[in-house]
């Protein structure tokens, strides 16, 4: 996945498995085998199974080239979720920052 348009996000995710990310979830698994998109499974700290999913989509024809979609998995409707479920970004660094913190890179 070295020349893939999501390679930075993929490499960051692979290097941060089991680390805390968005809303104190832990990054459980990453799958980068789909062309133009990347899936990450998140789990709550006390759980062994994932309770949420993040899909990162690369759409170069749009003004914001990266879209992130946060979804709760079935049977986990009470799990925490971010205020914005479908944010868009210009760069992979902005995507990574949002997944890590839940905030936009340029906002304080």
């Amino acid at each position: 996945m070295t020349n893939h348009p999501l390679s930075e996000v993929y490499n960051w995710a692979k290097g941060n498995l089991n680390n805390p990310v968005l809303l104190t979830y832990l990054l459980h698994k990453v799958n980068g085998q789909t062309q133009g998109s990347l899936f990450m499974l998140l789990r709550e700290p006390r759980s062994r199974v994932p309770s949420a999913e993040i899909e990162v989509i690369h759409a170069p024809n749009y003004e914001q080239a990266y879209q992130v979609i946060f979804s709760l998995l079935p049977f986990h409707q009470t799990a925490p979720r971010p205020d914005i479920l479908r944010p868009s970004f210009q760069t992979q660094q902005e995507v990574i920052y949002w997944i890590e913190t839940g905030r936009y890179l340029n906002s304080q």
Side-chain angles (χ1 to χ4, degrees):
M1 190 164 202
T2 54
N3 292 330
H4 193 278
L6 292 166
S7 60
E8 283 182 56
V9 177
Y10 177 79
N11 290 331
W12 170 83
K14 289 298 267 187
N16 283 283
L17 292 176
N18 295 313
N19 286 336
V21 292
L22 181 71
L23 298 173
T24 69
Y25 282 101
L26 298 177
L27 189 52
H28 182 74
K29 186 176 182 180
V30 62
N31 180 353
Q33 297 174 1
T34 306
Q35 184 65 21
S37 64
L38 173 70
F39 291 90
M40 292 178 233
L41 292 175
L42 308 177
R43 66 180 173 82
E44 293 176 84
R46 289 182 227 131
S47 176
R48 288 205 223 166
V49 296
S51 53
E53 174 183 73
I54 290 179
E55 179 182 10
V56 182
I57 300 170
H58 178 248
N61 298 331
Y62 291 99
E63 184 177 325
Q64 301 279 58
Y66 297 93
Q67 184 176 45
V68 179
I69 302 168
F70 177 92
S71 305
L72 292 173
L73 296 175
F75 307 108
H76 295 281
Q77 297 305 314
T78 59
R81 62 185 191 138
D83 292 336
I84 299 170
L85 301 178
R86 295 180 73 110
S88 297
F89 304 96
Q90 288 281 29
T91 67
Q92 292 184 66
Q93 293 82 17
E94 291 173 309
V95 171
I96 292 167
Y97 188 80
W98 187 82
I99 293 170
E100 285 180 320
T101 66
R103 296 188 311 265
Y104 287 93
L105 184 59
N106 296 325
S107 66
Q108 297 297 329

